[in-house]
């Protein structure tokens, strides 16, 4: 926003509804109150762009005054998702009207969703409301040990079914229950709180979790638990580092066959995890059907040149070669240096067979 008139108009419009500007080096905050169900909630409209070119975040500071510990569409950070900021088209030349509209919609959403509808609203986005870091899972429902693959950053962690005989530090249990948060339930901070929360929605889950823990690796106190519910995947990672060093040594010598049965394990701190499905079935189902519209079909692609290369990947993205289907790539030529200007393959494939390299590209994109 380069026009000083629009900027002053925004400041004045927000001032009239009780939101006052407080600029800092990193952002521009407008602090005030939202009135919801007779409550006054401290709130901030935060512009992270000094030019006010992007929609602001709406942050609530004391939302628990609404009578719930977990509020629908309110993230752990306090940001209220009144709209999808990635898709919201913010007009900087109508910033005043936009911000007033955001405040009105936020108050309306909170009023509507914090009553009887709250549990249903939370259930629609269970992983986000559960909070914590995101992990990618290679399954929809799974009961058993998990293989953990990480690339240095927990956000890059991938969980998949372990092979028979693998000694793992993670496992998954499944339930047909739709899980959420009641007004009295907080986001769990310990293993005991997690087990109690899970048991509220499925009485069998606590025994399933304890049973799986008792089979954990005796030399690994750190364990990861994933629960696959009907409406999403959530989990926890035990944090043995929070225990005194002497206790860690004693507990490590005991092994999980004994530890899982002891009450003390319920006090162990946890890190919450949000599961995000990344399995091929889920990815391809986004195009329609179970595995995509081209699954279970016999498809022959003749020519893996400039057009054929892009077409081959697109066919794979639509499910070609999955299920009982086969995607056959035919091209006798090798990739030349001049091809790379317009081909989906790059310099790493020069002088190699186009068909074989395109197959590698498809499999790397859709493992």
């Amino acid at each position: 926003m380069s026009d000083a008139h629009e900027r002053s108009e925004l400041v004045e419009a927000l001032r009239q509804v009780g939101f006052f500007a407080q600029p800092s080096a990193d952002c521009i905050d407008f602090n005030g109150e939202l009135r919801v169900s007779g409550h006054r909630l401290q709130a901030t409209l935060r512009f992270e762009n000094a030019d006010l070119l992007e929609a602001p975040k709406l942050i609530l500071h004391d939302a628990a005054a609404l009578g719930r510990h977990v509020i629908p569409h309110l993230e752990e950070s306090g940001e209220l998702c009144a709209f999808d900021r990635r898709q919201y088209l913010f007009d900087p030349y109508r910033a005043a009207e936009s911000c007033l509209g955001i405040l009105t919609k936020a108050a309306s959403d909170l009023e509507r969703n914090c009553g009887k509808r709250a549990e249903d609203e939370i259930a629609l986005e269970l992983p986000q409301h559960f909070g914590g870091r995101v992990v990618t899972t290679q399954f929809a429902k799974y009961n058993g040990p998990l293989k953990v693959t990480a690339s240095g950053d927990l956000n890059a962690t991938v969980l998949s079914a372990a092979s028979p005989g693998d000694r793992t530090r993670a496992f998954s249990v499944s339930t047909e229950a739709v899980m959420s948060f009641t007004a009295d339930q907080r986001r769990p901070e310990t293993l005991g709180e997690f087990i109690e929360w899970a048991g509220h929605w499925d009485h069998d889950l606590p025994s399933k979790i304890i049973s799986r823990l008792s089979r954990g690796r005796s030399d690994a106190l750190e364990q990861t638990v994933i629960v696959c519910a009907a409406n999403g995947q959530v989990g926890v990672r035990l944090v043995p580092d929070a225990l005194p060093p002497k206790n860690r040594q004693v507990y490590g010598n005991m092994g999980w066959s004994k530890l899982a049965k002891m009450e003390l394990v319920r006090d162990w701190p946890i890190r919450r995890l949000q599961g995000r499905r990344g399995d091929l079935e889920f990815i391809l189902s986004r195009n329609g059907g179970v595995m995509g519209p081209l699954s279970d079909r016999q498809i022959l692609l003749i020519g893996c040149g400039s057009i054929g290369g892009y077409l081959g990947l697109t066919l794979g993205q639509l499910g070609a070669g999955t299920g009982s289907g086969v995607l056959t790539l035919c091209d006798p030529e090798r990739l030349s240096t001049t091809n790379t200007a317009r081909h989906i393959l790059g310099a790493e494939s020069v002088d190699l067979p186009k068909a074989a390299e395109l197959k590698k590209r498809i499999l790397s994109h859709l493992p």
Side-chain angles (χ1 to χ4, degrees):
M1 179 184 294
S2 58
D3 194 319
H5 173 71
E6 278 80 15
R7 186 186 295 272
S8 61
E9 189 178 66
L10 169 64
V11 172
E12 178 59 23
L14 289 177
R15 187 189 67 79
Q16 289 184 13
V17 295
F19 279 76
F20 299 91
Q22 184 177 348
S24 67
D26 301 322
C27 59
I28 300 177
D29 286 350
F30 288 86
N31 299 313
E33 293 179 340
L34 274 184
R35 298 186 181 184
V36 181
S37 301
H39 299 283
R40 294 174 178 265
L41 305 181
Q42 295 298 316
T44 297
L45 274 175
R46 174 164 296 166
F47 284 91
E48 296 182 330
N49 186 304
D51 292 328
L52 312 185
L53 293 175
E54 298 177 354
K57 292 181 177 180
L58 178 57
I59 300 170
L60 302 184
H61 302 288
D62 57 352
L66 294 174
R68 295 189 61 86
H69 296 292
V70 181
I71 307 294
H73 311 298
L74 183 66
E75 297 184 356
E76 273 191 286
S77 63
E79 181 181 354
L80 182 67
C81 300
F83 54 86
D84 189 337
R85 295 181 71 247
R86 296 167 299 181
Q87 300 180 14
Y88 183 75
L89 183 60
F90 184 77
D91 184 353
Y93 294 102
R94 301 190 63 184
E97 294 95 325
S98 295
C99 288
L100 293 177
I102 289 170
L103 294 174
T104 300
K105 185 177 186 303
S108 174
D109 287 351
L110 288 169
E111 185 95 35
R112 183 177 66 253
N113 295 334
C114 279
K116 294 181 179 179
R117 293 181 50 175
E119 285 184 21
D120 292 338
E121 288 293 318
I122 292 171
L124 291 174
E125 299 176 341
L126 173 65
Q128 294 94 316
H129 285 103
F130 187 79
R133 297 197 178 190
V134 175
V135 295
T136 301
T137 63
Q138 295 289 334
F139 48 83
K141 293 288 182 71
Y142 178 70
N143 291 285
L146 296 173
K147 177 182 178 181
V148 181
T149 306
S151 58
D153 183 351
L154 186 60
N155 286 321
T157 298
V158 177
L159 303 176
S160 56
S163 301
D166 284 352
R167 301 179 67 216
T168 70
R169 303 184 183 190
F171 63 87
S172 174
V173 296
S174 296
T175 175
E176 296 303 319
V178 174
M179 304 177 77
S180 182
F181 283 89
T182 67
D184 296 331
Q185 290 175 329
R186 301 173 183 269
R187 294 181 178 92
E189 299 291 342
T190 66
L191 179 61
E193 291 175 1
F194 174 68
I195 291 174
E196 182 179 352
W197 171 79
H200 174 88
W201 304 100
D202 182 339
H203 298 307
D204 293 331
L205 278 178
S207 61
K208 289 181 180 180
I209 293 172
I210 295 299
S211 175
R212 283 288 175 185
L213 273 176
S214 67
R215 287 177 268 174
R217 283 175 54 174
S218 58
D219 61 340
L221 290 180
E222 183 176 291
Q223 295 285 324
T224 297
V225 184
I226 296 294
V227 172
C228 300
N231 57 324
Q233 301 173 342
V234 296
V236 297
R237 175 166 292 164
L238 274 66
V239 188
D241 290 346
L243 299 171
K246 183 178 180 180
N247 290 17
R248 288 204 302 271
Q249 183 177 1
V250 173
Y251 297 159
N253 292 334
M254 292 175 64
W256 280 105
S257 59
K258 295 181 179 179
L259 280 174
K261 302 173 184 177
M262 299 175 66
E263 279 296 315
L264 62 88
V265 77
R266 293 176 175 267
D267 295 328
W268 283 16
I270 57 172
R271 294 192 181 99
R272 292 188 301 278
L273 304 173
Q274 305 178 44
R276 295 286 190 275
R277 285 184 62 184
D279 54 292
L280 194 59
E281 179 179 349
F282 176 75
I283 293 171
L284 296 182
S285 70
R286 311 292 286 182
N287 292 319
V290 177
M291 283 288 282
L294 298 184
S295 61
D296 300 321
R297 301 194 183 193
Q298 309 297 312
I299 299 175
L300 171 63
L301 175 62
I302 300 177
C304 300
S306 300
I307 296 176
Y310 286 98
L311 179 57
L313 178 58
T314 301
L315 290 171
Q317 290 172 324
L318 292 173
T322 61
S324 61
V326 176
L327 172 60
T328 303
L329 310 175
C330 291
D331 195 313
E333 296 184 352
R334 295 172 178 265
L335 188 75
S336 68
T337 302
T338 55
N339 291 151
T340 59
R342 57 186 182 276
H343 206 283
I344 193 172
L345 299 174
E348 72 281 356
S349 298
V350 168
D351 293 332
L352 297 175
K354 291 181 181 179
E357 290 300 293
L358 178 58
K359 175 183 176 181
K360 291 180 183 178
R361 177 61 183 268
I362 295 172
L363 292 178
S364 67
H365 194 86
L366 302 165

